[in-house]
Amino acid sequence: MDLLKEMADAFIVLIRVGASFRVVFCLIKIGGNEQESEGYKKKARNIVVFYIIAESVWQIKDIVVGYYM
């Protein structure tokens, strides 16, 4: 069970770091190229939506596991 908990924690960290780096990358690209800024704004918005959904899934998982344990 400890290995499963460590893997879940690692996935959470990877999701947080990956989403953060991707948003920063998109913001840099928006500042550097005005012609493609709309595309990168949409990508950044999608990343934020993905992050919110991913965090929600982990919170729901914790609630369900806590309820049945």
Side-chain angles (χ1 to χ4, degrees):
M1 190 70 174
D2 290 335
L3 178 63
L4 187 60
K5 175 74 171 143
E6 289 176 13
M7 287 177 58
D9 291 340
F11 283 130
I12 293 170
V13 170
L14 286 173
I15 289 170
R16 289 176 180 167
V17 171
S20 300
F21 283 149
R22 184 69 177 163
V23 168
V24 169
F25 174 77
C26 286
L27 292 176
I28 290 170
K29 287 295 214 177
I30 288 171
N33 192 349
E34 294 295 325
Q35 295 174 348
E36 296 178 358
S37 66
E38 288 300 318
Y40 283 109
K41 287 179 185 177
K42 186 175 180 181
K43 289 178 184 179
R45 185 185 62 84
N46 289 340
I47 294 164
V48 171
V49 169
F50 164 76
Y51 178 74
I52 291 169
I53 291 170
E55 286 291 327
S56 298
V57 167
W58 288 111
Q59 294 302 318
I60 292 170
K61 179 204 67 95
D62 288 340
I63 290 169
V64 169
V65 168
Y67 180 74
Y68 288 111
M69 290 280 176

